[in-house]
């Protein structure tokens, strides 16, 4: 075995990353030092590196590594996990081994054959997880090497499409609409700066899913109800080309959508393909006719016949299927006759030409005469076009063996791409063995009835839309019981696939790109499992396993729907299981984002936590405690949120791992921060940031929120309040940068909101406005209702700081009303304090006093004590303004606020209160006392000397030092509006 392994890898030593593999010596080194690796793991590595970039089936790996021993897949997974650990796969961005669930494994890192200097080759990383690999979302399919007979169509469309918002390529099925659209997309890549996105609508059966398909193709995460509004928000100012393929069965829905895009996003150009016009406003139609063929070949020379594109396509495909095929003038004329009978349709030509390799031209021509009846001659109604395709496929179908027919029919269960193993699992049963299915698959691929799907990964296949519909019709006509059985096997296959992907850590940290390509199959499987003759137990497990997929793709409404349906179908055997846990957890999260902070959210999350406790599943307990903490935080119930955080600390301590403690520390730190206990908050938040792994989107989706980023923004605000303005700015800016890189809109919005105080505190109102504008754009693009409601209030606060308190009042009042209607109270305390201040500055002191009293009462009730010193200070200022000759009540409030800010460690708030007290003392003639108090507080600061507060404090100290009487001092300070 060793000799075979060593000799099978050409060229001896192979390098990848910091490693070097010497097969002959069975030695692996890292940076020159020998690596301790087991024999089986080394054999696995050698087998994988022998074929870099290719998926090696599990059976083949078992045969190679355990040639004389019968072992199970579990042994392979165990040793593969050990090999990944040795290679530090997944750490610091390193990617070496990719798992194709249900298929096998591939070595995906670039390799160099060190002993072949002349032919040294670096293989490109094929892994979808690699940084340099392009995203599969909306990727333009590969163009075919040669496009026959369409150059004039391409030229016309590339010239005219740029001047119109919507062009539709219309023609019968199989005429080549998609091929033409893809070619145009490639030619216009440079014109649209590579922003060309392809949307295959063939896998969709429901019109309401069209907006989600477009959003996914554009790479737009959607977490709100109105998907198309989110899409329009993202592309409103963009210039891009959107290719919508296979529109005919969804024409009504697509017409509305493309008109909306045309109205809202003038820079977007749409190229659609359909069997009939969309009949949308501003639509320009390009009718795609058949490939040209000679009506009569008599008198034509060989070169004249071969000049027709239909003939060129036929011969090219026929020769490719049989390289010994010779074409003379007589054969070329026979080909022209066949093409004429096929009406120059590209797909029937391709299907027919490959048969020539086995049947010959004469027999093929006879079969066409017997089996084909192409009665449609350019009519636009659907039925004749269907008859034409029916005739084309009938001919191919009758040439199939019985096993090939049954295989083709049962493959219609797939709505999208499928693997070789998936086909075996779904097709094979007691009537057809796996070996016969495998042989039939090979035959169907050779006969072009199954197409390779390059966009879905290695060894992926799919049925063309028309072929699937035809096969489905045949299956239902022949054996409805077999059709239902195949559909259930299809559902079970995707259940196993999803559960296998989730088995490692309960998330989609690996394999999401491949699973995302299966969304059509997952939806189809769910529909069958929940159908009238479905399987309830299967449906519940499938909904639970697919929930992370819907969450990862930001299909929250769909996630909510399937989870609710599954929970309604729970029986006694499913209650209290891991499946119910996942369903309740996903339902709670999707409800929170799509329908707000309702009681149903709390019910779902509490039930999920109850199950996690019963199952002693501490990791899920921690995940759910985090969601409950954030739910009550968003509700404004900070005291209860703090209780969940303390419970999370206990669970994390039981888990005993850094990642768990990072999450729990984040929750505890934020709770202390909101309670105003910054001295306690800071170490928790710093510990969370220190222990947290780098932010990754899959981890954010898994937990529901990015706890590392939330820790950073809370730490930034704590640092600012504690008087460390420069460090607060640095942390806030890093949090915003990380959130932007994460491509998770919710996280990005939160980071921008809490970055605002650092800009305002430094007096950088230009930067503050830019931040708020970015927040508004992001919130509107994603239809985040609560954040949109908050933006008006935040703009009002900025207007107040700039001295425009008249404008501020209305903006803040409207924002508060909208936030309270959404039960989103996280920002209402600070905005209420700003409203009170604005009302007072506008001379409406009694209203201001009423607002600030209600605010103080609310913070006492809900535990939102971070703002209590500021609220007390504002109330004192209002009372002093109302009754300047009776300052006792104001003085009492000032002292209460000052003492509280000191206990909280809120030095920045302490400074503002000290400036108020110093001015009051100065007006009372107590200049020395005023100077002493302010100097004591001011001298404690070690950074942030250019912030507005410190500059105000310095100016006030200088004024107090100059004047012997406050009446001698004239001073304009900015902190009064903050």
């Amino acid at each position: 075995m060793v000799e075979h392994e060593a000799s099978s890898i050409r060229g001896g030593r192979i390098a990848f990353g910091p490693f070097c593999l010497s097969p002959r010596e069975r030695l692996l080194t890292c940076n020159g030092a020998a690596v301790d690796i087991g024999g089986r793991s080394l054999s696995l590595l050698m087998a994988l590196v022998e074929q870099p970039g290719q998926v090696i089936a599990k059976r083949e790996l078992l045969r190679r590594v355990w040639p004389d021993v019968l072992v199970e897949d579990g042994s392979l997974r165990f040793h593969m996990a050990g090999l990944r650990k040795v290679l530090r796969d997944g750490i610091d961005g390193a990617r070496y081994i990719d798992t194709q669930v249900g298929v096998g494994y591939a070595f995906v890192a670039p390799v160099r054959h060190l002993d072949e200097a002349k032919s040294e080759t670096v293989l490109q990383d094929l892994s979808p997880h690699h940084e340099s690999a392009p995203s599969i979302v909306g990727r333009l399919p590969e163009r075919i090497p040669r496009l026959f007979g369409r150059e004039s169509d391409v030229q016309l469309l590339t010239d005219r499409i740029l001047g119109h918002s919507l062009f539709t390529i219309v023609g019968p099925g199989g005429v080549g609409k998609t091929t033409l659209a893809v070619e145009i997309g490639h030619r216009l890549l440079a014109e649209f700066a590579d922003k060309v996105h392809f949307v295959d609508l063939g896998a969709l059966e429901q019109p309401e899913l069209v907006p989600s398909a477009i959003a996914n193709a554009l790479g737009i995460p959607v977490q709100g109800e109105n998907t198309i509004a989110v899409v329009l928000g993202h592309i409103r100012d963009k210039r891009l080309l959107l290719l919508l393929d296979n529109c005919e069965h969804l024409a009504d829905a697509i017409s509305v959508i493309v008109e909306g895009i045309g109205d809202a996003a003038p820079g977007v150009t749409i190229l659609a393909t359909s069997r009939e016009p969309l009949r949308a406003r501003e639509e320009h139609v390009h009718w795609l006719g058949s490939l040209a063929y000679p009506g009569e070949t008599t008198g034509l020379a060989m070169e004249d016949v071969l000049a027709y594109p239909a003939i060129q396509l036929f011969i090219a495909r026929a020769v490719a299927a049989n390289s010994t095929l010779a074409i003379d003038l007589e054969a070329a004329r026979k080909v022209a006759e066949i093409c004429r009978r096929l009406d120059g349709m590209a797909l029937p030509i391709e299907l027919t030409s490959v048969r020539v390799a086995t049947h010959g031209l004469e027999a093929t021509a006879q079969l066409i005469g017997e089996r084909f009846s192409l009665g449609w001659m350019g009519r636009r109604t659907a039925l004749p076009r269907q008859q034409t395709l029916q005739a084309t496929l009938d001919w191919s179908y009758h040439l199939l063996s019985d096993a090939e027919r049954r295989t083709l029919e049962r493959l219609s269960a797939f709505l999208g791409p499928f693997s070789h193993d998936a086909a075996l699992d779904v097709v094979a049963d007691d009537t057809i063995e796996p070996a016969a299915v495998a042989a039939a698959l090979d035959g169907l691929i050779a006969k072009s009835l199954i197409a390779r799907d390059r966009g879905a990964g290695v060894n992926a296949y799919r049925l063309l839309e028309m072929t699937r519909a035809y096969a489905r019709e045949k299956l239902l006509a022949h054996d409805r019981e077999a059709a239902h059985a195949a559909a259930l096997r299809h559902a079970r296959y995707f259940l196993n696939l999803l559960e296998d992907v989730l088995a490692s850590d309960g998330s989609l940290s690996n394999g999401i790109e491949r699973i995302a390509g299966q969304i059509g199959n997952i939806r189809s499987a769910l529909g069958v499992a929940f159908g009238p003759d479905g399987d309830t137990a299967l449906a519940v497990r499938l909904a639970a396993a697919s929930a992370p997929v819907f969450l990862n793709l930001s299909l929250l409404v769909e996630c909510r729907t399937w989870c609710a349906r599954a929970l309604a179908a729970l029986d006694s055997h499913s209650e209290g299981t891991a499946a119910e846990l996942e369903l309740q957890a996903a339902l709670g999260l999707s409800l929170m984002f799509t329908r707000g902070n309702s009681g149903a959210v709390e019910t779902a999350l509490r039930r999920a936590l109850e199950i996690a406790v019963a199952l002693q599943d501490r990791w899920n307990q921690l995940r759910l405690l985090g969601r409950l903490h954030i739910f009550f935080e968003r509700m404004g119930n900070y005291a209860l949120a703090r209780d969940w955080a303390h419970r999370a600390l206990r669970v994390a301590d039981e888990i005993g791992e850094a990642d768990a403690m990072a999450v729990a520390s984040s929750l505890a730190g934020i709770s202390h921060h909101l309670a105003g206990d910054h001295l306690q908050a800071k170490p928790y938040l710093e510990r969370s940031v220190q222990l947290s792994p780098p932010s990754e989107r899959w981890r954010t989706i898994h937990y529901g929120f990015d706890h590392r980023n939330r820790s950073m923004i809370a730490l930034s605000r704590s640092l600012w309040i504690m008087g460390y303005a420069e460090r607060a700015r640095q942390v806030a800016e890093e949090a915003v940068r990380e959130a932007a890189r994460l491509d998770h809109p919710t996280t990005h919005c939160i980071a921008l909101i809490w970055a605002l105080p650092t800009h305002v505190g430094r007096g950088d109102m230009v930067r503050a406005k830019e931040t708020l504008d970015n927040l508004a754009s992001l919130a509107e693009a994603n239809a985040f209702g609560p954040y949109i409601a908050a933006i008006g209030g935040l703009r009002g606060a900025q207007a107040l700081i700039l001295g425009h308190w008249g404008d501020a009042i209305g903006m803040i009042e409207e924002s508060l009303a909208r936030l309270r209607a959404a039960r989103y109270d996280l920002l209402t305390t600070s905005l209420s304090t700003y409203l009170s201040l604005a009302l007072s500055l506008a001379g409406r002191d009694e209203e201001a006093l009423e607002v600030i009293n209600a605010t103080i009462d609310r913070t006492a009730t809900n535990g939102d004590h971070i703002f209590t010193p500021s609220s007390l200070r504002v109330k004192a200022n209002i009372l002093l303004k109302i009754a300047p000759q009776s300052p006792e009540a104001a003085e009492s409030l000032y002292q209460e606020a000052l003492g509280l800010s000191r206990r909280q460690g809120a030095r920045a708030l302490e400074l503002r209160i000290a400036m108020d007290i110093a001015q009051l003392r100065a007006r009372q003639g107590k200049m020395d006392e005023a100077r002493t108090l302010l100097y004591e507080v001011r001298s404690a600061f070690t950074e942030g000397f250019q912030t507005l507060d410190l500059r105000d404090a310095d100016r006030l100290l200088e004024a107090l030092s100059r004047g012997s009487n406050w009446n001698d001092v004239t001073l304009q300070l900015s902190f009064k509006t903050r």
Side-chain angles (χ1 to χ4, degrees):
M1 174 178 170
V2 173
E3 291 180 0
H4 168 74
E5 288 176 341
S7 60
S8 65
I9 303 178
R10 64 179 180 84
R13 295 183 303 138
I14 297 176
F16 50 93
F19 296 96
C20 181
L21 173 64
S22 301
R24 291 188 179 92
E25 294 79 16
R26 289 184 64 80
L27 174 67
L28 179 67
T29 62
C30 179
N31 295 321
V35 176
D36 184 13
I37 182 173
R40 298 291 189 189
S41 296
L42 183 61
S43 297
L44 279 174
L45 178 61
M46 293 166 67
L48 292 168
V49 173
E50 181 181 352
Q51 302 178 63
Q54 299 183 34
V55 175
I56 303 177
K58 291 184 286 187
R59 298 186 187 92
E60 174 63 16
L61 288 172
L62 289 170
R63 185 188 66 79
R64 289 280 302 275
V65 180
W66 290 272
D68 304 314
V69 182
L70 183 62
V71 297
E72 298 181 351
D73 288 356
S75 296
L76 177 60
R77 288 195 297 270
F78 174 81
H79 285 86
M80 193 64 72
L83 176 57
R84 282 192 165 114
K85 186 175 181 180
V86 168
L87 298 177
R88 296 175 63 81
D89 194 6
I91 297 177
D92 295 330
R95 297 291 291 119
Y96 296 102
I97 300 170
D98 187 45
T99 303
Q100 298 288 311
V101 178
V103 180
Y105 301 86
F107 192 84
V108 295
V111 304
R112 300 193 313 277
H113 294 271
L114 299 181
D115 297 338
E116 292 188 20
K118 292 183 179 180
S119 61
E120 182 174 302
T121 304
V122 177
L123 300 182
Q124 297 300 317
D125 186 349
L126 303 179
S127 168
H129 307 291
H130 193 273
E131 287 182 344
S132 61
S135 169
I136 67 169
V137 177
R139 188 175 64 188
L140 192 60
E142 295 182 10
R143 68 210 303 186
I144 63 172
R146 182 182 176 189
L147 196 63
F148 294 91
R150 299 299 188 197
E151 189 55 42
S152 60
D153 298 289
V154 171
Q155 190 62 50
L156 183 148
L157 286 169
T158 52
D159 287 344
R160 296 187 60 192
I161 196 172
L162 298 176
H164 303 283
S165 60
L166 172 62
F167 242 105
T168 306
I169 302 174
V170 176
V175 76
K177 302 184 294 295
T178 300
T179 300
L180 177 59
V182 169
E183 176 66 22
I184 292 169
H186 279 281
R187 296 203 186 187
L188 291 176
L189 277 171
E191 178 67 29
F192 286 91
D194 290 336
K195 291 181 174 60
V196 178
H197 302 271
F198 184 84
V199 188
D200 182 5
L201 299 169
L204 295 186
E205 296 180 325
Q206 299 170 321
E208 58 266 27
L209 297 179
V210 173
S212 295
I214 294 174
N216 286 336
L218 292 168
I220 298 173
V222 180
Q223 297 176 334
E225 287 273 356
N226 194 341
T227 302
I228 196 62
V230 174
V231 171
L232 293 177
H234 272 273
I235 66 176
R236 193 176 307 278
D237 299 318
K238 301 290 192 303
R239 185 172 187 268
L240 57 88
L241 174 62
L242 189 62
L243 304 183
L244 303 180
D245 192 43
N246 293 321
C247 296
E248 56 275 354
H249 61 303
L250 302 167
D252 291 341
I254 293 172
S255 298
V256 175
I257 290 171
V258 297
E259 287 185 1
I261 293 175
D263 292 338
V268 175
T269 298
I270 297 175
L271 177 62
T273 71
S274 178
R275 296 183 190 176
E276 59 182 342
L278 298 178
R279 292 179 173 82
R281 187 174 65 250
E282 302 298 326
E283 181 187 31
H284 290 256
V285 176
H286 180 77
W287 292 94
L288 188 62
S290 302
L291 295 174
Y293 54 87
E296 178 58 57
T297 57
T298 303
L300 292 179
M302 179 73 168
E303 58 267 27
D304 296 325
V305 178
L306 297 181
Y308 285 90
I311 313 302
Q312 294 170 1
L313 173 62
F314 189 106
I315 293 175
R317 299 294 184 262
V319 172
N322 182 357
S323 59
T324 63
L325 186 66
I327 301 294
D328 55 15
L329 178 58
E330 182 180 354
R333 288 175 173 171
K334 181 64 68 176
V335 168
E337 177 189 344
I338 294 173
C339 289
R340 184 169 62 253
R341 292 186 180 182
L342 298 178
D343 199 32
M345 294 286 291
L347 181 59
I349 287 173
E350 296 205 31
L351 290 172
T352 306
S353 60
V354 295
R355 302 298 179 270
V356 173
T358 53
H359 296 282
L361 273 171
E362 192 62 42
T364 300
Q366 292 176 0
L367 285 170
I368 290 175
E370 295 170 3
R371 307 283 175 89
F372 269 84
S373 177
L374 297 176
W376 175 63
M377 297 299 293
R379 286 174 289 168
R380 295 167 50 188
T381 57
L383 184 58
R385 291 201 296 272
Q386 176 63 34
Q387 290 173 346
T388 300
L389 295 174
Q390 185 83 25
T392 303
L393 288 166
D394 272 342
W395 175 80
S396 292
Y397 182 82
H398 287 300
L399 294 176
L400 301 178
S401 67
D402 182 61
E404 288 174 335
R405 290 178 188 175
R406 280 187 289 166
T407 298
L408 179 66
E409 290 172 357
R410 295 179 184 186
L411 287 175
S412 66
F414 290 100
L415 192 63
F418 56 87
S419 67
H420 191 274
D421 282 356
L424 293 181
D425 281 6
V426 171
V427 175
D429 65 359
D430 294 340
T431 66
I432 179 169
E433 296 181 350
V437 176
L441 284 170
D442 290 341
L444 292 169
I445 293 168
K447 295 167 185 174
S448 298
L449 286 168
I450 295 178
R452 292 188 180 275
D453 191 322
R454 297 179 180 178
V458 181
N459 296 329
Y461 309 93
R462 71 182 301 150
L463 295 181
L464 298 178
E465 179 195 358
M466 61 127 183
T467 309
R468 178 183 179 272
Y470 176 90
R472 182 70 176 164
E473 184 179 309
K474 287 289 186 183
L475 178 60
L476 292 173
H478 292 163
D479 193 340
R480 286 187 173 272
E481 185 176 341
H484 183 62
L488 285 176
R489 289 195 296 273
H490 170 272
R492 292 190 187 100
Y493 173 83
F494 280 98
L495 171 63
N496 293 333
L497 175 64
L498 288 167
E499 290 185 339
D500 195 18
V501 170
L502 293 167
S504 60
D505 59 5
S507 73
L508 294 174
S509 56
N510 293 306
I512 179 56
E513 287 85 357
R514 186 165 42 82
I515 294 295
Q518 297 290 355
I519 192 66
N521 278 314
I522 293 171
R523 286 169 174 147
S524 177
L526 285 164
V528 169
F530 279 108
D533 297 317
D535 182 328
T536 301
L538 170 65
V540 169
R541 287 177 59 194
L542 186 59
S546 60
V549 178
F550 290 117
L551 290 175
N552 202 289
L553 296 174
S554 297
L555 301 172
L556 299 186
V557 175
E558 200 166 351
C559 178
R560 184 190 73 203
T561 301
W562 289 118
C563 287
R565 192 169 177 181
L567 288 167
L570 281 180
D571 57 19
S572 58
H573 299 291
S574 301
E575 290 180 354
T577 62
E580 188 194 352
L581 186 158
E582 190 59 44
L583 290 168
Q584 298 282 13
L587 177 64
L589 188 66
S590 56
L591 279 170
M592 193 189 307
F593 278 120
T594 60
R595 288 187 172 171
N597 304 318
S598 65
V601 176
E602 181 181 356
T603 299
L605 294 180
R606 281 184 180 271
R607 173 57 182 162
L609 179 61
E610 177 185 329
I611 298 171
V613 171
L615 295 176
Q616 297 183 344
D617 185 346
R618 290 186 176 86
W619 277 108
N620 265 318
Q621 289 177 44
L622 182 64
R623 181 165 66 124
L624 290 161
L625 287 167
R627 294 184 184 184
L628 281 162
H629 175 274
I630 294 167
F631 169 73
F632 283 101
E633 177 190 302
R634 288 161 61 98
M635 289 275 290
N637 192 334
Y638 304 103
L640 193 50
R642 184 171 61 253
D643 292 341
W644 294 119
H646 289 161
R647 187 169 169 182
L649 284 172
R650 293 194 296 270
V651 172
D653 189 56
E654 292 170 359
I655 293 173
E657 295 189 24
D659 196 6
M661 189 53 67
V663 173
S665 296
S666 175
L667 302 179
I670 291 170
S671 289
H672 284 298
H673 170 70
L674 292 172
D677 191 351
H678 308 291
L679 297 175
Q680 287 279 358
K682 182 172 175 287
Y684 273 117
L685 295 171
E686 288 175 334
R687 186 182 188 194
S688 176
V689 174
Q690 179 185 9
L691 294 178
S692 293
S695 294
E696 294 183 77
R697 194 173 189 277
W698 70 263
R699 185 178 287 107
T700 301
I701 298 296
H702 178 65
Y703 281 106
F705 297 86
D706 189 270
H707 292 291
R708 170 184 168 82
N709 203 270
R710 294 184 76 243
S711 294
M712 292 177 70
I713 60 174
L715 177 60
S716 168
R717 196 164 67 162
S718 279
L719 288 169
W720 186 86
I721 292 174
M722 295 174 75
Y724 304 114
E726 187 57 30
R727 275 180 279 178
R729 179 191 61 80
Q730 294 171 357
V731 174
E733 290 180 351
E734 179 59 26
V736 171
R737 285 194 295 269
E738 287 193 12
R741 289 196 298 266
L742 190 62
D743 190 26
H744 189 248
T746 305
T747 300
H748 198 178
C749 282
I750 294 170
L752 289 170
I753 285 175
W754 300 120
L756 278 171
T758 62
H759 303 316
V760 173
R762 294 171 62 238
D764 190 348
M765 299 307 296
V766 173
R767 184 75 178 276
K769 183 180 182 303
E770 290 176 355
T771 299
L772 191 49
D773 288 344
N774 290 338
L775 171 64
S777 176
L778 193 61
E780 290 166 4
N782 289 278
F784 289 160
Y787 295 142
I788 294 172
I791 286 163
L794 295 172
R795 291 198 189 281
Q798 288 195 8
L800 172 63
I801 292 167
L802 294 171
H804 310 303
W805 50 79
D807 298 332
I809 293 172
M811 298 167 71
I812 298 175
E813 286 180 331
E814 180 182 354
S815 176
L816 283 169
R818 295 176 65 184
L819 287 170
R820 286 167 180 154
R823 301 185 71 188
Y824 188 75
D825 289 328
L826 187 59
L827 299 173
T828 55
T829 301
S830 61
L831 290 179
S832 295
T833 303
Y834 273 119
L835 175 60
S836 177
L837 180 57
L839 288 168
S840 178
L841 290 170
R844 297 160 61 179
D845 294 316
E846 294 301 326
E847 293 176 68
L849 197 58
E850 182 179 345
V851 170
I852 202 62
N853 281 333
T855 303
I856 292 171
D857 290 343
R858 186 166 58 251
T859 59
T861 301
N862 64 16
D864 186 14
H865 298 304
I866 185 175
F867 298 108
T868 302
S870 296
S871 299
L872 293 172
R873 168 181 169 256
V874 169
K875 181 178 179 179
N877 287 338
I878 297 171
L879 290 176
L880 196 60
K881 181 185 175 188
I882 294 173
Q885 304 306 319
S886 302
E888 294 80 10
E891 286 193 63
S892 178
L893 289 171
Y894 281 140
Q895 292 301 326
E896 183 182 353
L898 186 67
L900 181 57
S901 63
R902 285 174 173 170
R903 292 192 299 274
Q904 291 182 349
R907 190 175 295 155
L909 303 182
E910 182 185 354
L911 180 64
R912 291 183 180 177
I913 298 164
M915 282 192 277
D916 281 325
I917 295 174
Q919 290 180 88
L920 176 60
R921 292 288 179 263
R923 282 194 292 271
Q924 294 170 335
K926 303 174 183 178
M927 301 294 285
D928 290 340
E929 186 178 336
R931 281 193 299 269
T932 300
L933 171 64
L934 185 55
Y935 179 79
E936 178 186 349
V937 177
R938 165 62 183 86
S939 61
F941 285 81
T942 58
E943 60 179 88
F945 301 118
Q946 295 306 310
T947 61
L948 290 179
D949 286 346
L950 285 177
R951 282 184 287 174
D952 279 345
D954 289 341
R955 292 166 60 203
L956 181 54
L957 276 172
E958 183 182 354
L960 291 170
S961 299
R962 282 199 318 265
S964 59
N965 189 298
W966 183 249
N967 295 327
D968 298 334
V969 178
T970 56
L971 185 64
Q972 184 66 38
L973 301 176
S974 59
F975 78 97
K976 287 291 187 182
T977 57
R978 287 179 284 114

